[in-house]
Amino acid sequence: MSSESKIRIYELASEVGVSSKDLVDKALALGFSVKSHMSSLTLDEASSVKKSLGASGSVSSAPSKAPVVKTRSKSTTVRRRSGASEESKPAIITPVVRRRKSTEDGSEEVS
């Protein structure tokens, strides 16, 4: 492992304000060996990707994020099984096990 710091593609993408896929495509175009959003870039590589994104005009220097507002139109519905009472459920029948013991005289005894 090298002592130089690294940053993941998805972290850099969230910093810059672009999608991870776009950042992977840009890094591949610059000749860096990345495969997915989990690939790492050195800080030098990351700065060159940032510069190229800034030069292409796809990202402003200070990305402004609009606040995300989540609203719910309906309340959560909890579905339960039908309200069958305990009396209507069938009783669990346990089988009776009878064991045979052999006696001294050769006959069998059921207990």
Side-chain angles (χ1 to χ4, degrees):
M1 246 184 138
S2 68
S3 63
E4 191 171 339
S5 297
K6 293 188 173 194
I7 186 168
R8 299 272 184 182
I9 294 283
Y10 72 90
E11 293 171 341
L12 184 61
S14 65
E15 272 183 31
V16 176
V18 296
S19 71
S20 297
K21 182 176 172 146
D22 292 339
L23 201 66
V24 167
D25 292 340
K26 192 63 165 177
L28 286 172
L30 292 172
F32 302 127
S33 61
V34 295
K35 293 182 180 180
S36 69
H37 67 284
M38 292 299 292
S39 298
S40 297
L41 293 174
T42 63
L43 294 180
D44 293 335
E45 293 171 341
S47 66
S48 65
V49 170
K50 280 184 183 179
K51 286 178 188 175
S52 69
L53 284 172
S56 67
S58 64
V59 164
S60 63
S61 60
S64 61
K65 293 185 178 180
V68 177
V69 178
K70 294 183 180 181
T71 59
R72 287 185 150 185
S73 59
K74 295 182 181 179
S75 64
T76 304
T77 304
V78 178
R79 295 184 183 207
R80 301 191 187 274
R81 295 179 188 254
S82 64
S85 65
E86 293 293 325
E87 294 134 10
S88 66
K89 291 183 180 177
I92 298 174
I93 302 172
T94 56
V96 176
V97 179
R98 296 185 180 190
R99 302 192 187 265
R100 297 178 185 239
K101 295 182 184 175
S102 59
T103 58
E104 291 178 8
D105 61 356
S107 64
E108 292 183 350
E109 189 177 295
V110 177
S111 59

XYZ file of all heavy atoms in Angstrom:
816
model
N 0.827 -1.183 0.000
C 0.000 0.000 0.000
C 0.868 1.241 0.000
O 1.864 1.313 0.682
C -0.845 -0.008 1.263
C -2.273 -0.157 0.958
S -3.401 -0.069 2.289
C -4.539 0.911 1.406
N 0.472 2.226 -0.752
C 1.265 3.442 -0.782
C 0.862 4.359 0.368
O -0.223 4.268 0.912
C 1.058 4.151 -2.122
O -0.252 4.642 -2.201
N 1.766 5.245 0.710
C 1.510 6.167 1.811
C 0.685 7.363 1.362
O 0.256 8.154 2.179
C 2.829 6.624 2.421
O 3.567 7.334 1.439
N 0.471 7.488 0.049
C -0.271 8.622 -0.479
C -1.773 8.421 -0.235
O -2.305 7.326 -0.358
C -0.006 8.745 -1.980
C -0.507 10.034 -2.555
C -0.044 10.223 -3.978
O 0.948 9.587 -4.374
O -0.684 10.994 -4.679
N -2.459 9.484 0.124
C -3.889 9.412 0.411
C -4.676 9.153 -0.866
O -4.288 9.582 -1.953
C -4.373 10.704 1.046
O -3.736 10.898 2.275
N -5.790 8.467 -0.701
C -6.647 8.155 -1.830
C -8.079 8.542 -1.496
O -8.445 8.686 -0.340
C -6.581 6.666 -2.170
C -5.232 6.228 -2.691
C -5.263 4.828 -3.180
C -3.932 4.484 -3.848
N -4.021 3.267 -4.627
N -8.879 8.690 -2.547
C -10.288 9.023 -2.382
C -11.093 8.153 -3.331
O -10.653 7.843 -4.434
C -10.531 10.535 -2.645
C -11.966 10.913 -2.323
C -10.167 10.916 -4.054
C -12.206 12.412 -2.289
N -12.240 7.716 -2.878
C -13.112 6.885 -3.715
C -13.832 7.757 -4.747
O -14.072 8.939 -4.528
C -14.155 6.173 -2.862
C -13.581 5.244 -1.831
C -13.370 3.902 -2.404
N -12.910 2.995 -1.358
C -12.597 1.749 -1.589
N -12.693 1.255 -2.793
N -12.177 0.980 -0.620
N -14.192 7.125 -5.861
C -14.879 7.837 -6.944
C -16.197 8.426 -6.442
O -16.519 9.580 -6.714
C -15.135 6.889 -8.136
C -13.823 6.451 -8.782
C -16.060 7.518 -9.155
C -13.164 7.450 -9.661
N -16.966 7.648 -5.680
C -18.277 8.136 -5.235
C -18.136 9.308 -4.270
O -18.978 10.211 -4.250
C -19.114 7.015 -4.619
C -18.660 6.527 -3.269
C -19.147 7.100 -2.105
C -17.753 5.483 -3.150
C -18.739 6.656 -0.858
C -17.343 5.031 -1.912
C -17.847 5.621 -0.766
O -17.445 5.175 0.462
N -17.057 9.320 -3.464
C -16.824 10.452 -2.562
C -16.488 11.708 -3.353
O -16.992 12.797 -3.066
C -15.701 10.130 -1.583
C -16.027 9.038 -0.590
C -14.817 8.596 0.224
O -13.671 8.853 -0.205
O -15.031 7.987 1.280
N -15.618 11.552 -4.345
C -15.233 12.676 -5.184
C -16.439 13.193 -5.971
O -16.620 14.411 -6.120
C -14.110 12.262 -6.135
C -13.526 13.346 -7.023
C -12.900 14.451 -6.184
C -12.486 12.748 -7.957
N -17.282 12.289 -6.443
C -18.465 12.697 -7.197
C -19.420 13.510 -6.331
O -19.995 14.503 -6.789
C -19.181 11.463 -7.745
N -19.582 13.119 -5.069
C -20.469 13.887 -4.193
C -19.856 15.246 -3.855
O -20.578 16.227 -3.701
C -20.782 13.107 -2.929
O -19.622 12.915 -2.160
N -18.535 15.316 -3.755
C -17.868 16.602 -3.520
C -18.070 17.547 -4.687
O -18.386 18.721 -4.510
C -16.353 16.390 -3.358
C -15.876 16.095 -1.985
C -14.354 15.984 -1.945
O -13.667 16.667 -2.743
O -13.870 15.204 -1.109
N -17.889 17.018 -5.893
C -17.940 17.834 -7.092
C -19.385 18.114 -7.503
O -19.688 19.156 -8.068
C -17.151 17.152 -8.235
C -17.248 17.921 -9.526
C -15.706 16.989 -7.838
N -20.284 17.182 -7.218
C -21.688 17.381 -7.558
C -22.102 16.761 -8.876
O -23.012 17.241 -9.536
N -21.421 15.696 -9.290
C -21.786 14.969 -10.505
C -22.075 13.522 -10.119
O -21.762 13.088 -9.011
C -20.663 15.016 -11.577
C -20.428 16.435 -12.045
C -19.396 14.402 -11.066
N -22.633 12.782 -11.047
C -22.911 11.383 -10.759
C -21.618 10.574 -10.810
O -20.650 10.949 -11.479
C -23.920 10.813 -11.753
O -23.327 10.681 -13.025
N -21.617 9.468 -10.097
C -20.436 8.601 -10.060
C -20.114 8.066 -11.445
O -18.951 7.944 -11.825
C -20.664 7.438 -9.099
O -20.849 7.911 -7.800
N -21.160 7.755 -12.204
C -20.957 7.207 -13.545
C -20.241 8.220 -14.445
O -19.333 7.868 -15.192
C -22.297 6.814 -14.147
C -22.176 6.192 -15.502
C -23.492 5.728 -16.030
C -23.264 5.315 -17.433
N -23.896 4.327 -18.021
N -20.652 9.487 -14.360
C -19.993 10.518 -15.163
C -18.531 10.672 -14.764
O -17.654 10.861 -15.603
C -20.713 11.861 -15.009
C -22.100 11.841 -15.629
O -22.355 10.978 -16.501
O -22.928 12.688 -15.231
N -18.274 10.586 -13.472
C -16.906 10.725 -12.982
C -16.041 9.538 -13.414
O -14.876 9.710 -13.768
C -16.899 10.868 -11.458
C -15.655 11.501 -10.877
C -15.549 12.946 -11.308
C -15.672 11.427 -9.379
N -16.607 8.330 -13.405
C -15.875 7.147 -13.876
C -15.539 7.316 -15.358
O -14.409 7.057 -15.787
C -16.687 5.855 -13.639
C -16.091 4.677 -14.388
C -16.771 5.549 -12.164
N -16.517 7.782 -16.143
C -16.275 7.992 -17.574
C -15.175 9.026 -17.809
O -14.314 8.861 -18.673
C -17.562 8.444 -18.267
C -18.619 7.346 -18.299
O -18.255 6.151 -18.149
O -19.813 7.681 -18.451
N -15.190 10.087 -17.026
C -14.178 11.138 -17.166
C -12.793 10.627 -16.791
O -11.805 10.902 -17.469
C -14.561 12.338 -16.290
C -13.764 13.555 -16.570
C -14.004 14.016 -17.995
C -13.534 15.416 -18.220
N -13.689 15.833 -19.604
N -12.725 9.834 -15.700
C -11.437 9.290 -15.274
C -10.890 8.316 -16.315
O -9.681 8.289 -16.581
C -11.586 8.601 -13.922
N -11.764 7.524 -16.912
C -11.321 6.611 -17.971
C -10.833 7.391 -19.188
O -9.851 7.006 -19.833
C -12.460 5.667 -18.363
C -12.786 4.565 -17.361
C -14.050 3.826 -17.774
C -11.625 3.597 -17.239
N -11.497 8.494 -19.511
C -11.093 9.313 -20.649
C -9.720 9.941 -20.401
O -8.948 10.149 -21.339
C -12.128 10.403 -20.904
N -9.418 10.219 -19.136
C -8.111 10.788 -18.796
C -7.020 9.721 -18.695
O -5.856 10.045 -18.491
C -8.198 11.566 -17.486
C -9.035 12.842 -17.537
C -9.199 13.425 -16.147
C -8.393 13.855 -18.471
N -7.401 8.450 -18.799
C -6.411 7.380 -18.802
C -6.155 6.733 -17.449
O -5.194 5.978 -17.301
N -6.979 7.022 -16.461
C -6.812 6.397 -15.149
C -7.491 5.037 -15.146
O -8.507 4.839 -15.814
C -7.397 7.277 -14.044
C -6.776 8.643 -13.988
C -7.551 9.774 -14.021
C -5.404 8.795 -13.895
C -6.988 11.030 -13.966
C -4.823 10.046 -13.838
C -5.617 11.168 -13.881
N -6.914 4.106 -14.395
C -7.490 2.757 -14.365
C -8.529 2.671 -13.244
O -8.204 2.432 -12.094
C -6.397 1.710 -14.160
O -5.750 1.941 -12.923
N -9.780 2.892 -13.602
C -10.901 2.772 -12.669
C -11.915 1.830 -13.285
O -12.020 1.713 -14.506
C -11.554 4.143 -12.362
C -10.599 5.053 -11.635
C -12.074 4.804 -13.604
N -12.643 1.127 -12.429
C -13.633 0.179 -12.920
C -15.048 0.538 -12.486
O -16.002 0.282 -13.194
C -13.311 -1.226 -12.432
C -12.037 -1.775 -13.023
C -11.781 -3.169 -12.556
C -10.498 -3.696 -13.157
N -10.212 -5.059 -12.721
N -15.171 1.100 -11.279
C -16.506 1.399 -10.773
C -16.434 2.562 -9.801
O -15.372 3.149 -9.595
C -17.094 0.174 -10.066
O -16.389 -0.065 -8.861
N -17.556 2.865 -9.184
C -17.614 3.962 -8.222
C -16.811 3.663 -6.963
O -16.487 4.564 -6.206
C -19.069 4.245 -7.851
C -19.713 3.134 -7.092
N -20.127 1.966 -7.687
C -19.989 3.005 -5.779
C -20.629 1.166 -6.771
N -20.569 1.761 -5.609
N -16.452 2.411 -6.735
C -15.666 2.034 -5.560
C -14.165 2.097 -5.809
O -13.383 1.887 -4.898
C -16.049 0.623 -5.094
C -17.451 0.524 -4.521
S -17.690 1.544 -3.073
C -16.646 0.716 -1.900
N -13.749 2.398 -7.019
C -12.322 2.526 -7.313
C -11.752 3.760 -6.619
O -12.463 4.721 -6.354
C -12.099 2.643 -8.816
O -12.562 1.481 -9.470
N -10.468 3.707 -6.331
C -9.803 4.815 -5.644
C -8.926 5.588 -6.605
O -8.358 5.038 -7.544
C -8.930 4.284 -4.511
O -9.704 3.636 -3.546
N -8.811 6.879 -6.343
C -7.902 7.746 -7.078
C -6.964 8.402 -6.079
O -7.368 8.696 -4.953
C -8.672 8.849 -7.823
C -9.583 8.436 -8.962
C -10.359 9.649 -9.457
C -8.785 7.840 -10.097
N -5.722 8.631 -6.488
C -4.823 9.391 -5.622
C -5.297 10.841 -5.625
O -6.095 11.251 -6.475
C -3.373 9.304 -6.119
O -3.298 9.912 -7.404
C -2.889 7.869 -6.165
N -4.777 11.614 -4.704
C -5.198 13.016 -4.633
C -4.769 13.798 -5.869
O -5.479 14.702 -6.311
C -4.666 13.660 -3.354
C -5.236 13.100 -2.052
C -4.641 13.813 -0.849
C -6.742 13.211 -2.031
N -3.625 13.431 -6.439
C -3.182 14.080 -7.674
C -4.136 13.759 -8.829
O -4.501 14.634 -9.617
C -1.761 13.630 -8.038
C -0.725 14.114 -7.039
O -0.975 15.144 -6.372
O 0.330 13.446 -6.932
N -4.510 12.486 -8.940
C -5.459 12.091 -9.982
C -6.805 12.767 -9.770
O -7.441 13.224 -10.723
C -5.635 10.570 -9.976
C -4.410 9.799 -10.397
C -4.523 8.302 -10.183
O -5.381 7.865 -9.381
O -3.743 7.560 -10.821
N -7.228 12.846 -8.515
C -8.515 13.477 -8.208
C -8.504 14.955 -8.582
O -9.484 15.470 -9.137
C -8.844 13.304 -6.731
N -7.395 15.627 -8.309
C -7.331 17.055 -8.655
C -7.337 17.252 -10.166
O -7.945 18.194 -10.672
C -6.116 17.707 -8.027
O -4.936 17.177 -8.574
N -6.689 16.353 -10.916
C -6.707 16.490 -12.374
C -8.096 16.202 -12.936
O -8.524 16.839 -13.899
C -5.656 15.592 -13.023
O -5.957 14.245 -12.799
N -8.835 15.268 -12.316
C -10.209 15.012 -12.750
C -11.079 16.224 -12.446
O -11.896 16.644 -13.267
C -10.767 13.741 -12.062
C -12.256 13.600 -12.300
C -10.041 12.506 -12.554
N -10.880 16.828 -11.269
C -11.644 18.035 -10.913
C -11.367 19.163 -11.897
O -12.287 19.860 -12.330
C -11.275 18.504 -9.501
C -11.948 17.757 -8.388
C -11.547 18.398 -7.070
C -12.101 17.674 -5.879
N -11.685 18.304 -4.606
N -10.086 19.334 -12.254
C -9.720 20.391 -13.191
C -10.364 20.159 -14.554
O -10.856 21.093 -15.187
C -8.207 20.466 -13.349
C -7.503 21.083 -12.173
C -6.004 21.083 -12.389
C -5.280 21.535 -11.129
N -3.819 21.427 -11.275
N -10.346 18.920 -14.998
C -10.925 18.631 -16.314
C -12.445 18.806 -16.297
O -13.028 19.228 -17.291
C -10.554 17.230 -16.772
O -11.204 16.273 -15.970
N -13.072 18.503 -15.177
C -14.510 18.734 -15.080
C -14.821 20.218 -15.054
O -15.796 20.668 -15.641
C -15.080 18.069 -13.823
C -15.246 16.570 -13.886
C -15.642 16.022 -12.516
C -16.280 16.184 -14.911
N -13.978 20.991 -14.392
C -14.169 22.436 -14.353
C -13.933 23.063 -15.714
O -14.617 24.000 -16.114
N -12.964 22.556 -16.467
C -12.637 23.094 -17.781
C -13.717 22.751 -18.802
O -13.983 23.525 -19.710
C -11.293 22.553 -18.252
N -14.350 21.605 -18.651
C -15.375 21.211 -19.618
C -16.687 21.932 -19.361
O -17.593 21.884 -20.173
C -15.597 19.697 -19.574
O -16.160 19.333 -18.327
N -16.804 22.589 -18.194
C -17.992 23.370 -17.904
C -19.156 22.551 -17.399
O -20.267 23.053 -17.315
N -18.919 21.291 -17.072
C -20.023 20.463 -16.602
C -20.338 20.701 -15.136
O -21.374 20.314 -14.650
C -19.714 18.980 -16.830
O -18.606 18.608 -16.048
N -19.432 21.365 -14.435
C -19.612 21.578 -13.010
C -19.162 22.983 -12.656
O -18.133 23.445 -13.131
C -18.786 20.544 -12.213
C -18.606 20.939 -10.773
C -19.431 19.199 -12.299
N -19.901 23.667 -11.816
C -19.453 24.971 -11.344
C -18.480 24.763 -10.199
O -18.406 23.699 -9.603
C -20.654 25.804 -10.884
O -21.284 25.169 -9.799
N -17.730 25.788 -9.845
C -16.725 25.633 -8.799
C -17.353 25.412 -7.436
O -16.784 24.757 -6.584
C -15.816 26.862 -8.763
O -16.599 28.015 -8.488
N -18.524 25.966 -7.189
C -19.223 25.757 -5.921
C -20.621 25.243 -6.230
O -21.530 26.022 -6.507
C -19.306 27.056 -5.133
N -20.793 23.931 -6.249
C -22.106 23.394 -6.601
C -23.135 23.744 -5.533
O -22.898 23.607 -4.344
C -21.883 21.883 -6.668
C -20.692 21.640 -5.825
C -19.852 22.882 -5.923
N -24.260 24.261 -5.982
C -25.324 24.596 -5.036
C -26.337 23.468 -5.058
O -26.816 23.069 -6.112
C -25.985 25.915 -5.424
O -26.562 25.795 -6.699
N -26.633 22.987 -3.892
C -27.584 21.892 -3.796
C -28.909 22.437 -3.288
O -28.954 23.133 -2.285
C -27.084 20.811 -2.838
C -25.871 20.098 -3.346
C -25.503 18.982 -2.423
C -24.302 18.224 -2.949
N -23.929 17.131 -2.072
N -29.957 22.139 -4.005
C -31.286 22.539 -3.566
C -31.718 21.615 -2.436
O -31.420 20.414 -2.457
C -32.267 22.440 -4.722
N -32.379 22.136 -1.432
C -32.815 21.265 -0.342
C -33.851 20.257 -0.822
O -34.715 20.577 -1.630
C -33.422 22.235 0.678
C -33.762 23.450 -0.108
C -32.780 23.517 -1.230
N -33.710 19.049 -0.362
C -34.612 17.988 -0.746
C -35.760 17.947 0.254
O -35.542 17.866 1.461
C -33.883 16.626 -0.763
C -34.843 15.512 -1.086
C -32.751 16.665 -1.756
N -36.973 18.031 -0.251
C -38.153 17.996 0.602
C -38.913 16.728 0.287
O -39.305 16.493 -0.851
C -39.054 19.233 0.355
C -40.290 19.162 1.214
C -38.274 20.498 0.596
N -39.089 15.914 1.293
C -39.833 14.680 1.113
C -41.205 14.846 1.745
O -41.310 15.235 2.905
C -39.112 13.505 1.760
C -37.804 13.173 1.087
C -37.168 11.978 1.717
C -35.851 11.645 1.033
N -35.213 10.476 1.611
N -42.221 14.578 0.966
C -43.581 14.668 1.495
C -44.266 13.323 1.320
O -43.951 12.558 0.410
C -44.397 15.736 0.754
O -44.432 15.404 -0.639
C -43.776 17.109 0.924
N -45.204 13.086 2.182
C -45.978 11.854 2.082
C -47.406 12.215 1.731
O -47.999 13.095 2.346
C -45.982 11.110 3.415
C -44.693 10.454 3.743
C -44.864 9.674 5.004
N -43.974 8.541 4.961
C -43.943 7.606 5.864
N -44.754 7.654 6.882
N -43.105 6.611 5.772
N -47.924 11.534 0.758
C -49.298 11.807 0.386
C -50.269 10.928 1.169
O -51.413 11.293 1.355
C -49.494 11.595 -1.114
O -49.170 10.256 -1.451
N -49.819 9.762 1.609
C -50.684 8.845 2.349
C -49.930 8.348 3.575
O -48.715 8.323 3.600
C -51.057 7.636 1.494
C -51.898 7.965 0.301
C -52.242 6.709 -0.453
C -53.076 7.034 -1.678
N -53.403 5.828 -2.427
N -50.685 7.934 4.545
C -50.041 7.336 5.709
C -49.696 5.886 5.395
O -50.228 5.295 4.466
C -50.963 7.412 6.925
O -52.121 6.641 6.680
N -48.830 5.332 6.181
C -48.409 3.955 5.967
C -49.528 3.004 6.337
O -50.173 3.152 7.376
C -47.174 3.648 6.831
O -46.166 4.595 6.514
C -46.670 2.253 6.567
N -49.786 2.031 5.501
C -50.821 1.048 5.753
C -50.175 -0.220 6.275
O -49.262 -0.754 5.647
C -51.596 0.724 4.468
O -52.122 1.937 3.947
C -52.705 -0.261 4.733
N -50.644 -0.667 7.411
C -50.147 -1.908 7.983
C -51.199 -2.972 7.728
O -52.334 -2.849 8.154
C -49.884 -1.757 9.500
C -49.426 -3.078 10.080
C -48.881 -0.670 9.749
N -50.811 -4.013 7.030
C -51.746 -5.096 6.738
C -51.504 -6.245 7.693
O -50.387 -6.667 7.893
C -51.575 -5.567 5.300
C -51.947 -4.495 4.330
C -51.867 -4.992 2.934
N -52.166 -3.894 2.038
C -52.675 -4.058 0.846
N -52.922 -5.271 0.402
N -52.913 -3.036 0.088
N -52.557 -6.713 8.258
C -52.465 -7.823 9.190
C -53.327 -8.971 8.684
O -54.222 -8.783 7.881
C -52.945 -7.391 10.577
C -52.136 -6.239 11.121
C -52.451 -6.012 12.577
N -51.819 -4.815 13.085
C -50.596 -4.758 13.562
N -49.864 -5.822 13.606
N -50.098 -3.630 14.003
N -53.058 -10.134 9.199
C -53.879 -11.278 8.821
C -55.276 -11.100 9.373
O -55.499 -10.344 10.300
C -53.271 -12.561 9.370
C -51.921 -12.852 8.752
C -51.361 -14.126 9.341
N -50.008 -14.300 8.896
C -49.635 -15.186 7.990
N -50.526 -15.967 7.442
N -48.388 -15.294 7.633
N -56.210 -11.835 8.815
C -57.594 -11.707 9.270
C -57.680 -12.046 10.752
O -56.913 -12.849 11.265
C -58.506 -12.621 8.461
O -58.148 -13.965 8.686
N -58.593 -11.463 11.441
C -58.700 -11.597 12.890
C -59.362 -12.884 13.322
O -60.378 -12.855 14.023
N -58.844 -14.015 12.934
C -59.392 -15.302 13.358
C -59.139 -15.483 14.843
O -58.040 -15.293 15.331
C -58.757 -16.434 12.574
N -60.175 -15.831 15.561
C -60.030 -15.999 17.006
C -59.378 -17.336 17.328
O -59.268 -18.213 16.483
C -61.396 -15.905 17.683
O -62.197 -16.999 17.265
N -58.974 -17.477 18.566
C -58.316 -18.702 19.008
C -59.263 -19.902 18.915
O -58.837 -21.016 18.678
C -57.818 -18.542 20.450
C -56.691 -17.536 20.610
C -55.403 -17.989 19.950
O -55.122 -19.205 19.954
O -54.694 -17.139 19.406
N -60.565 -19.688 19.110
C -61.513 -20.803 19.095
C -61.674 -21.391 17.698
O -61.928 -22.568 17.536
C -62.872 -20.335 19.617
C -62.823 -19.955 21.071
C -63.528 -18.640 21.322
O -64.205 -18.138 20.405
O -63.375 -18.113 22.413
N -61.537 -20.569 16.670
C -61.743 -21.074 15.323
C -60.513 -21.776 14.758
O -60.606 -22.441 13.748
C -62.153 -19.932 14.392
O -61.078 -19.026 14.271
N -59.376 -21.642 15.415
C -58.172 -22.315 14.952
C -58.248 -23.794 15.321
O -58.704 -24.143 16.407
C -56.931 -21.692 15.587
C -56.655 -20.303 15.092
C -55.385 -19.770 15.682
C -55.112 -18.371 15.191
N -53.930 -17.804 15.814
N -57.802 -24.664 14.442
C -57.841 -26.095 14.772
C -56.846 -26.425 15.887
O -55.778 -25.842 15.963
C -57.440 -26.780 13.459
C -56.692 -25.740 12.710
C -57.279 -24.420 13.122
N -57.258 -27.335 16.724
C -56.394 -27.745 17.829
C -55.255 -28.596 17.289
O -55.426 -29.353 16.332
C -57.194 -28.536 18.855
N -54.112 -28.459 17.888
C -52.962 -29.246 17.478
C -53.074 -30.606 18.145
O -53.179 -30.716 19.365
C -51.649 -28.547 17.884
C -51.553 -27.202 17.174
C -50.454 -29.424 17.547
C -50.380 -26.370 17.617
N -53.070 -31.630 17.344
C -53.211 -32.992 17.850
C -51.837 -33.611 17.931
O -51.112 -33.677 16.937
C -54.122 -33.835 16.935
C -55.489 -33.168 16.836
C -54.210 -35.260 17.418
C -56.400 -33.796 15.822
N -51.481 -34.046 19.130
C -50.188 -34.698 19.303
C -50.397 -36.205 19.255
O -51.338 -36.734 19.847
C -49.541 -34.311 20.640
O -50.429 -34.628 21.692
C -49.241 -32.834 20.661
N -49.566 -36.917 18.570
C -49.727 -38.378 18.484
C -49.359 -39.043 19.815
O -48.517 -38.570 20.555
C -48.751 -38.782 17.386
C -47.733 -37.695 17.370
C -48.448 -36.456 17.786
N -50.050 -40.129 20.089
C -49.780 -40.897 21.303
C -48.768 -41.977 20.941
O -48.956 -42.737 19.992
C -51.071 -41.533 21.844
C -50.782 -42.410 23.039
C -52.070 -40.454 22.167
N -47.699 -42.040 21.691
C -46.664 -43.027 21.448
C -46.785 -44.111 22.512
O -46.738 -43.831 23.704
C -45.262 -42.381 21.498
C -44.189 -43.423 21.269
C -45.155 -41.274 20.461
N -46.949 -45.323 22.068
C -47.035 -46.448 23.011
C -45.818 -47.325 22.800
O -45.501 -47.708 21.688
C -48.303 -47.248 22.770
C -49.527 -46.415 23.041
C -50.756 -47.218 22.934
N -51.897 -46.347 23.198
C -53.094 -46.770 23.373
N -53.362 -48.066 23.317
N -54.077 -45.946 23.613
N -45.181 -47.616 23.855
C -43.972 -48.434 23.790
C -44.274 -49.818 24.350
O -45.000 -49.969 25.323
C -42.858 -47.776 24.580
C -42.565 -46.382 24.059
C -41.295 -45.868 24.631
N -41.104 -44.480 24.266
C -40.396 -44.083 23.231
N -39.789 -44.948 22.483
N -40.276 -42.798 22.961
N -43.682 -50.806 23.753
C -43.872 -52.184 24.217
C -42.648 -52.628 24.979
O -41.530 -52.408 24.552
C -44.089 -53.117 23.033
C -45.347 -52.758 22.274
C -45.484 -53.665 21.085
N -46.620 -53.244 20.313
C -47.649 -54.015 20.052
N -47.670 -55.251 20.471
N -48.643 -53.562 19.345
N -42.902 -53.222 26.102
C -41.820 -53.769 26.903
C -41.947 -55.281 26.877
O -43.029 -55.835 26.987
C -41.921 -53.295 28.347
C -41.732 -51.822 28.527
C -41.814 -51.491 29.992
C -41.730 -50.011 30.240
N -41.919 -49.675 31.637
N -40.836 -55.935 26.723
C -40.896 -57.403 26.774
C -40.664 -57.843 28.220
O -39.839 -57.287 28.937
C -39.860 -58.020 25.849
O -38.580 -57.608 26.212
N -41.421 -58.812 28.652
C -41.302 -59.323 30.018
C -40.456 -60.581 30.007
O -40.083 -61.105 28.956
C -42.697 -59.620 30.601
O -43.351 -60.558 29.758
C -43.504 -58.350 30.697
N -40.205 -61.094 31.202
C -39.351 -62.276 31.321
C -39.973 -63.526 30.709
O -39.275 -64.401 30.229
C -39.055 -62.526 32.797
C -38.158 -61.457 33.379
C -37.894 -61.679 34.852
O -38.262 -62.713 35.407
O -37.305 -60.773 35.446
N -41.270 -63.612 30.716
C -41.895 -64.819 30.207
C -42.089 -64.797 28.692
O -42.665 -65.688 28.104
C -43.236 -65.084 30.905
C -44.229 -63.957 30.681
O -43.857 -62.949 30.063
O -45.378 -64.100 31.135
N -41.613 -63.693 27.996
C -41.675 -63.644 26.546
C -42.871 -62.885 26.024
O -42.966 -62.618 24.835
N -43.817 -62.545 26.877
C -44.967 -61.792 26.405
C -44.618 -60.293 26.378
O -43.679 -59.843 27.010
C -46.171 -62.045 27.318
O -45.895 -61.566 28.597
N -45.375 -59.508 25.628
C -45.126 -58.077 25.536
C -46.176 -57.321 26.328
O -47.353 -57.697 26.323
C -45.153 -57.645 24.071
C -44.003 -58.193 23.280
C -44.008 -57.704 21.853
O -44.994 -57.085 21.421
O -42.999 -57.906 21.171
N -45.745 -56.260 26.948
C -46.605 -55.434 27.770
C -46.638 -54.036 27.172
O -45.603 -53.480 26.828
C -46.030 -55.403 29.188
C -46.912 -54.764 30.212
C -46.251 -54.862 31.578
O -46.079 -55.962 32.090
O -45.889 -53.787 32.080
N -47.816 -53.434 27.039
C -47.947 -52.082 26.479
C -48.074 -51.105 27.617
O -48.869 -51.279 28.526
C -49.187 -51.997 25.559
C -49.356 -50.564 25.031
C -49.097 -52.979 24.419
N -47.278 -50.064 27.591
C -47.372 -49.058 28.644
C -47.893 -47.762 28.110
O -47.844 -47.445 26.979
C -46.019 -48.842 29.304
O -45.067 -48.435 28.359
